[in-house]
């Protein structure tokens, strides 16, 4: 690929980014878009907005970048939780390591590649991208020791940074465990596969078992019931509440009659209908359907509560019976994290479901080979013109060829990739995950495997097949084949960085779908309601993208270092944009407690080892025995470092330490809080949400929004010169002066509103 094609792609994407970021800085200031760009700040609800007019509201400004940069990690932890902090530390790690890599490789490796063999160089924009790769070196070149030395520096810096990050995040996870002393999941164990007995119900069987074997620690239990008419009634009530919010306030519940213009008869002026008698409201419902206390509705699963955290930990780790398929125990997820639908799945089906989803994911990966191979054909103009002779005239035009080879392939690949995350999330749900955080983590791993395989390996292999009509014939040929293919695909990887990196970040901050939906709701349907749909941060899509760019950066560092400045720009933009989105848009309903970091660590180690294998293959192709000999020990040292981290830090992310839990139990017993905690356990895991009880159970826990204060409308007047007022508008309380009721509608439920924010709203 020529540099001019890369510059064309870069120019198109830079223009898109500048336009979208400028539009965002204007649209975020408009009052009608506040629910799109500041959804998290509207989490308290029940406020009407103060809408001053000033000229700066229609002028682009970079102030949001400054605010995102100035927000500290402690403020972010209080606002969005540990997962958000861990994600941004991933981005910071990428910035640090690739700054080191860019300095080393641009300063030393790139000049060696460019002047690798005597030749007459053209102007930079007319050069081929392969001139800047290691492929430009001649065989037996003594300059290959520069690449080997750079590889050692990159690996040492990456391992050192990974160690310090792993140690810091492990401490943060321990702080996450101890920082929320009233977390009900620490006292609760999820029991599945309860054996069936014809003489008694599941509840009686469970009570008898735990009274017999855990009489000193067993407190009580809460059965899981079949999803029936109660859940449907709750969903219908929530929909009705949303519908009533859209009704004009002038309409009252008393039907007023006026003559019909067609028949002259009386016609009701509103949409409410009065039932003839009270029995019609429950017509067709049997009494047994309105309760979930019958034994027929019980499922062989339950939440069992224990007196101490240590007792719950022991029960969750111990095999309960001689049959491992019965009395299966796990530490319970947090109440808002429970995925109730999957608790109805029989435990004996789970292994079949996992195999089926694995087969489905692999099959989809192979189906995806078709568009990837087609995309690689677009990057090979010579082969494309031979296959389609009628395109030769169009392909001879320089601008058309630059757009086709430099921009179009990455755009098509990204469009196909939009179908991947929802499908992988569906596969993860079919596996039977007991919590939403585990489901999202499982989807993250699937998307990561899919992305690395299709974007990196399949593009390399398909490009090799198109050019050479062969692939490696044995395992020993893998390093050499990868070494031949990576430099030839460096141009495509750079264009993919522009399109999937820069442009995707601009689309992320613009939120085009939410913006369009908000426009339709306000203009077309005339919906003046202030409700909004809260969003969760898409870790299952953004972490794989971040790791993919890390893989591309490491594997191309000594092979084709021209990609490094563009990756560094992407990581820096990602840090600011994601931080802004986490602070303003996404709300934290549940989190995994930093469980995504081991995925990042392991994938980074894989990227380093893959880079070393590719370099080893290239040193062999260039007949440099010295460089090859020094690369093999580097691979072994990287593997030893990975194993040390796995033994030292990984168990903290898999299990809760007994020492920490025992200390927490003793502290609660001394302070007299243990009995109060026991009283709250039963209701927090109720399948029918009791809002007040949920709120009280969360009141003592550190809330992710506890440090956030609502803006004061008096301080936000633009004439007072407040800088905040130039971007936001103030709030004013409800005109009626009534207290905020968390039970009034779904948007005010504890799922969207913390007790501390309710109290803060009342005070304001």
């Amino acid at each position: 690929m020529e540099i001019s094609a890369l510059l064309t792609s870069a120019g198109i994407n830079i223009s898109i980014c500048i336009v979208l970021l400028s539009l965002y800085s204007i649209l975020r200031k408009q009052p009608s878009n506040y629910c799109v760009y500041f959804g998290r700040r509207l989490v308290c609800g029940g406020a009407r907005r103060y809408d001053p007019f000033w000229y700066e509201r229609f002028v682009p400004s970079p102030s949001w970048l400054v605010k995102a940069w100035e927000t500290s990690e402690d403020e972010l932890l209080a606002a969005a939780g540990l997962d958000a902090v861990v994600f941004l530390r991933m981005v910071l790690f990428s910035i640090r390591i690739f700054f080191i890599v860019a300095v080393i490789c641009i300063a030393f490796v790139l000049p060696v590649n460019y002047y690798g063999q005597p030749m007459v160089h053209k102007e930079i924009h007319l050069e081929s991208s392969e001139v800047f790769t290691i492929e430009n070196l001649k065989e037996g070149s003594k300059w290959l020791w520069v690449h080997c030395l750079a590889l050692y520096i990159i690996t040492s810096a990456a391992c050192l940074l990974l160690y310090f990050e792993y140690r810091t995040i492990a401490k943060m996870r321990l702080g996450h465990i101890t920082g929320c002393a009233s977390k009900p999941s620490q006292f609760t164990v999820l029991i599945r596969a309860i054996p069936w007995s014809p003489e008694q119900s599941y509840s009686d069987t469970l009570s008898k078992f735990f009274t017999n074997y855990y009489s000193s620690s067993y407190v009580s239990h809460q059965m899981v019931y079949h999803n029936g008419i109660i859940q449907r009634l709750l969903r219908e009530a929530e929909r009705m509440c949303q519908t009533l919010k859209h009704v004009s306030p002038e309409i009252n519940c008393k039907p007023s009659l006026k003559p019909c213009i067609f028949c002259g008869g009386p016609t009701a002026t509103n949409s409410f209908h009065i039932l003839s008698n009270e029995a019609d409201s429950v017509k067709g419902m049997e009494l047994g359907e309105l309760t979930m206390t019958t034994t027929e509705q019980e499922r062989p699963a339950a939440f069992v509560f224990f007196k101490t955290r240590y007792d719950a930990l022991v029960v969750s780790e111990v095999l309960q019976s001689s049959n491992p398929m019965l009395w299966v125990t796990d530490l319970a997820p947090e109440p808002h994290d429970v995925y109730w639908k999957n608790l109805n799945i029989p435990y004996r089906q789970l292994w079949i479901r996992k195999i089926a989803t694995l087969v489905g994911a692999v099959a989809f990966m192979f189906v995806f080979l078709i568009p990837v191979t087609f995309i690689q054909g677009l990057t090979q103009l010579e082969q494309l013109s031979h296959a389609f002779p009628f395109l030769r005239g169009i392909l001879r035009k320089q601008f058309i060829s630059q757009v086709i080879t430099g921009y179009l392939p990455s755009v098509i690949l990204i469009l196909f990739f939009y179908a991947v995350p929802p499908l992988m999330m569906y596969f993860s749900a079919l596996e039977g995950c007991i919590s939403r955080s585990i489901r999202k983590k499982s989807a993250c791993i699937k998307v990561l495997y899919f992305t690395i395989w299709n974007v990196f390996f399949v593009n390399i292999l398909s490009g090799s097949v198109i050019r050479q009509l062969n692939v490696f014939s044995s395992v020993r040929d893998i390093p050499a084949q990868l070494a031949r293919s990576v430099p030839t695909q460096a141009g495509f990887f750079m264009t993919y960085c522009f399109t999937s990196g820069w442009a995707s970040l601009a689309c992320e901050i613009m939120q085009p779908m939410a913006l369009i939906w908000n426009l339709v709701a306000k203009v077309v349907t005339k919906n003046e309601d202030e409700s909004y749909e809260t969003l969760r941060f898409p870790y299952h899509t953004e972490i794989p993208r971040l790791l993919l760019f890390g893989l591309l950066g490491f594997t191309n560092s000594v092979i084709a270092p021209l990609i490094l400045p563009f990756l560094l720009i992407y990581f820096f933009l990602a840090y600011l944009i994601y931080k802004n989105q986490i602070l303003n848009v996404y709300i934290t309903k549940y989190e995994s407690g930093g469980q995504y970091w081991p995925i990042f660590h392991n994938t980074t180690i894989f990227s380093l080892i893959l880079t070393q294998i590719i370099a080893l293959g290239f040193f062999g192709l260039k007949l440099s025995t010295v460089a090859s000999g020094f690369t093999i020990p580097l691979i072994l040292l990287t593997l030893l470092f990975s194993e040390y981290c796995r033994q030292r830090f990984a168990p903290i992310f898999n299990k809760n330490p007994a020492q920490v839990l025992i200390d927490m139990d003793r502290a609660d017993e001394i302070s007299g809080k243990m009995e109060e905690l026991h009283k709250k356990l039963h209701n927090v895991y109720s399948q029918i949400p009791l809002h007040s009880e949920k709120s009280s159970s969360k009141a003592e826990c550190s809330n992710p929004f506890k440090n956030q204060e609502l803006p004061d409308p008096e301080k936000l007047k633009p004439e007072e010169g407040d800088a905040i007022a130039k971007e936001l508008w103030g709030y004013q309380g409800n005109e009626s002066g009534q207290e905020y009721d968390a039970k009034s509608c779904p948007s005010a439920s504890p799922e969207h509103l913390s007790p501390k924010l309710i109290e803060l709203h009342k005070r304001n």
Side-chain angles (χ1 to χ4, degrees):
M1 182 181 293
E2 293 183 355
I3 297 298
S4 59
L6 294 176
L7 294 177
T8 301
S9 178
I12 293 173
N13 287 281
I14 289 173
S15 302
I16 292 174
C17 290
I18 292 175
V19 171
L20 292 182
L21 292 179
S22 300
L23 279 175
Y24 167 74
S25 65
I26 296 174
L27 293 175
R28 72 192 295 270
K29 302 175 187 178
Q30 311 310 313
S32 59
N33 297 329
Y34 195 77
C35 59
V36 177
Y37 298 119
F38 297 95
R40 188 180 155 273
R41 296 198 181 191
L42 284 173
V43 70
C44 62
R48 65 183 180 88
R49 298 169 300 195
Y50 177 66
D51 182 16
F53 179 85
W54 67 97
Y55 172 74
E56 289 81 359
R57 209 177 81 184
F58 302 95
V59 178
S61 62
S63 58
W64 63 274
L65 291 171
V66 178
K67 290 185 179 181
W69 177 263
E70 291 177 347
T71 303
S72 65
E73 187 175 275
D74 293 336
E75 294 172 345
L76 188 70
L77 182 63
L82 183 58
D83 281 344
V85 173
V86 169
F87 176 76
L88 288 177
R89 290 189 76 95
M90 295 177 189
V91 183
L92 276 177
F93 169 84
S94 302
I95 293 174
R96 291 166 182 159
I97 185 60
F98 283 106
F99 177 79
I100 298 173
V101 174
V103 170
I104 297 297
C105 294
I106 297 298
F108 300 102
V109 177
L110 188 63
V112 170
N113 291 343
Y114 188 68
Y115 297 104
Q117 50 184 311
M119 59 181 296
V120 178
H121 289 284
K122 307 174 185 178
E123 296 181 12
I124 295 296
H125 67 280
L126 298 177
E127 292 278 12
S128 173
S129 60
E130 296 181 359
V131 176
F132 297 90
T133 68
I134 196 175
E135 200 173 36
N136 198 42
L137 288 175
K138 59 183 179 180
E139 294 183 358
S141 175
K142 296 181 180 180
W143 290 104
L144 285 170
W145 67 267
V146 176
H147 300 77
C148 185
L149 180 61
L151 200 61
Y152 265 85
I153 296 174
I154 292 169
T155 303
S156 301
C159 291
L160 191 64
L161 289 174
L162 277 175
Y163 173 78
F164 286 118
E165 286 292 332
Y166 217 149
R167 186 178 65 178
T168 302
I169 294 174
K171 291 180 180 178
M172 295 175 71
R173 174 165 172 80
L174 292 176
H176 171 76
I177 296 173
T178 59
C180 194
S182 61
K183 187 180 291 185
S185 62
Q186 296 174 346
F187 296 87
T188 310
V189 174
L190 175 63
I191 307 292
R192 289 180 290 175
I194 302 173
W196 164 251
S197 174
E199 291 95 11
Q200 55 189 0
S201 64
Y202 285 120
S203 180
D204 295 336
T205 302
L206 185 144
S207 179
K208 182 178 179 181
F209 179 86
F210 281 95
T211 303
N212 185 22
Y213 295 104
Y214 296 97
S215 58
S216 61
S217 60
Y218 169 69
V219 176
S220 62
H221 67 273
Q222 173 66 48
M223 296 301 300
V224 175
Y225 296 94
H226 178 69
N227 292 329
I229 190 65
I230 298 297
Q231 281 71 27
R232 292 197 296 272
L233 289 175
L234 287 173
R235 288 194 296 268
E236 291 298 328
E238 291 178 356
R239 293 194 189 100
M240 181 58 68
C241 181
Q242 293 293 335
T243 302
L244 291 176
K245 290 169 65 178
H246 299 166
V247 177
S248 176
E250 288 80 8
I251 300 178
N252 51 44
C253 295
K254 296 180 180 180
S256 59
L257 303 179
K258 61 181 181 180
C260 176
I261 60 175
F262 295 104
C263 62
T267 303
T269 59
N270 55 34
S271 57
F272 293 99
H273 298 280
I274 300 177
L275 297 176
S276 58
N277 55 64
E278 191 171 330
D280 292 340
S281 61
V282 292
K283 185 178 180 179
M285 296 182 184
E286 297 180 1
L287 185 60
E289 291 181 314
L290 296 177
T291 179
M292 293 192 347
T293 59
T294 58
T295 58
E296 291 81 5
Q297 298 292 329
E298 291 180 352
R299 299 291 93 187
F303 293 97
V304 182
F305 311 111
F306 294 88
K307 293 182 178 179
T308 64
R309 299 172 180 86
Y310 179 72
D311 292 332
L313 178 66
V314 171
V315 173
S316 66
E317 298 293 336
V318 173
L319 190 65
Q320 301 299 324
S321 69
S322 57
N323 185 356
M325 298 292 287
L326 295 177
W327 300 105
V328 180
T329 57
D330 295 286
L331 274 179
E334 281 298 299
H336 285 167
D337 196 15
V338 177
Y339 196 52
W340 291 98
K341 182 179 179 180
N342 280 354
L343 298 186
N344 292 318
I345 300 174
Y347 183 79
R348 61 181 177 273
Q349 292 183 6
L350 294 183
W351 69 276
I352 302 176
R353 285 172 170 262
K354 291 181 179 179
I355 294 176
T357 53
L358 177 62
V359 172
V362 172
F364 183 65
M365 290 173 66
F366 280 100
V367 171
F368 210 80
L369 291 174
I370 298 173
V372 174
T373 306
F374 168 73
I375 290 165
Q376 275 302 315
L378 295 178
T379 63
Q380 310 293 330
L381 283 184
E382 294 181 1
Q383 286 76 13
L384 192 65
S385 61
H386 287 303
F388 304 98
F390 60 90
L391 294 177
R392 291 178 183 175
I394 299 176
L395 297 178
R396 288 194 186 99
K397 297 180 180 180
Q398 184 177 3
F399 180 76
I400 298 297
S401 63
Q402 291 174 358
V403 171
I404 291 177
T405 58
Y407 183 70
L408 195 59
S410 56
V411 172
I412 296 175
L413 185 60
I414 291 170
L415 292 177
F416 277 106
F417 259 99
Y418 276 115
V420 176
L423 184 62
M424 295 305 171
M425 184 69 82
Y426 177 70
F427 283 154
S428 298
L430 288 180
E431 284 182 347
C433 299
I434 61 175
S435 70
R436 301 178 186 276
S437 60
I438 295 177
R439 180 186 61 163
K440 185 169 284 190
K441 179 184 174 183
S442 176
C444 176
I445 295 173
K446 290 182 177 64
V447 174
L448 175 64
Y449 290 160
F450 187 92
T451 304
I452 291 178
W453 169 252
N454 282 283
V455 175
F456 185 78
F457 288 104
V458 174
N459 272 289
I460 289 175
L461 298 179
S462 60
S464 177
V465 169
I466 292 174
R467 288 188 305 272
Q468 303 174 11
L469 297 178
N470 71 330
V471 292
F472 44 81
S473 56
S474 65
V475 177
R476 291 182 300 176
D477 295 335
I478 294 178
Q481 186 62 45
L482 290 175
R484 292 190 191 97
S485 302
V486 170
T488 59
Q489 296 299 317
F492 171 76
F493 292 146
M494 277 187 273
T495 60
Y496 188 81
C497 172
F498 301 150
T499 309
S500 180
W502 299 358
S504 293
L505 286 175
C507 291
E508 162 64 29
I509 201 167
M510 275 293 294
Q511 295 287 315
M513 297 305 297
L515 192 64
I516 293 172
W517 178 255
N518 180 62
L519 181 64
V520 170
K522 295 291 176 63
V523 177
V524 179
T525 63
K526 304 295 183 182
N527 180 15
E528 299 298 332
D529 181 32
E530 300 297 335
S531 64
Y532 57 95
E533 191 69 25
T534 54
L535 302 175
R536 314 285 180 262
F537 191 84
Y539 294 105
H540 64 296
T541 62
E542 304 311 316
I543 291 179
R545 179 182 286 120
L546 189 70
L547 287 169
L548 173 66
F549 287 127
L551 175 69
L552 296 180
F554 282 120
T555 52
N556 287 275
S557 57
V558 297
I559 303 296
L562 199 61
I563 195 177
L564 295 174
F566 306 117
L567 284 177
L568 200 57
I569 294 172
Y570 163 76
F571 290 127
F572 186 74
L573 281 176
Y575 177 74
L576 295 175
I577 289 176
Y578 286 134
K579 199 172 186 180
N580 175 80
Q581 297 298 90
I582 289 171
L583 289 171
N584 295 321
V585 177
Y586 297 110
I587 191 171
T588 302
K589 181 181 178 181
Y590 55 85
E591 62 174 335
S592 66
Q595 292 281 358
Y596 293 104
W597 176 256
I599 300 174
F600 182 87
H601 175 87
N602 296 334
T603 308
T604 304
I605 294 294
F606 169 77
S607 302
L608 288 173
I609 294 175
L610 181 62
T611 301
Q612 296 157 6
I613 292 174
I614 294 173
L616 179 64
F618 226 106
F619 294 153
L621 291 176
K622 296 299 181 180
L623 305 178
S624 178
T625 55
V626 176
S628 299
F630 275 97
T631 305
I632 294 175
L634 187 61
I635 298 175
L636 298 177
L637 290 173
T638 307
L639 290 173
L640 287 175
F641 169 77
S642 175
E643 181 62 21
Y644 170 77
C645 289
R646 191 180 69 85
Q647 297 290 338
R648 171 64 180 86
F649 299 115
I652 298 175
F653 292 83
N654 298 326
K655 299 179 181 179
N656 293 337
Q659 178 185 5
V660 173
L661 298 182
I662 292 174
D663 290 339
M664 295 173 66
D665 289 333
R666 289 174 178 173
D668 286 340
E669 289 175 356
I670 294 173
S671 62
K673 294 181 180 179
M674 195 64 78
E675 292 185 3
E676 184 181 354
L677 293 175
H678 292 163
K679 294 178 182 178
K680 298 177 181 178
L681 290 176
H682 191 274
N683 290 330
V684 294
Y685 283 98
S686 176
Q687 214 163 339
I688 300 179
L690 302 175
H691 296 309
S692 59
E693 293 169 353
K694 276 188 178 182
S695 299
S696 62
S697 67
K698 293 174 62 182
E700 297 179 5
C701 182
S702 60
N703 193 277
F705 310 104
K706 63 183 179 182
N707 294 332
Q708 184 183 6
E709 296 182 359
L710 295 177
D712 186 357
E714 297 299 327
K715 296 180 180 179
L716 293 184
K717 292 181 179 179
E719 57 269 16
E720 296 179 359
D722 195 330
I724 302 176
K726 294 183 179 181
E727 297 186 23
L728 305 177
W729 47 89
Y731 288 80
Q732 294 182 357
N734 291 333
E735 295 178 352
S736 61
Q738 297 177 352
E739 291 187 347
Y740 189 86
D741 186 7
K743 302 178 184 179
S744 60
C745 64
S747 63
S749 67
E751 298 178 355
H752 301 271
L753 184 60
S754 68
K756 293 189 177 182
L757 279 180
I758 296 176
E759 183 181 353
L760 179 62
H761 178 75
K762 289 178 181 179
R763 291 202 303 266
N764 290 343

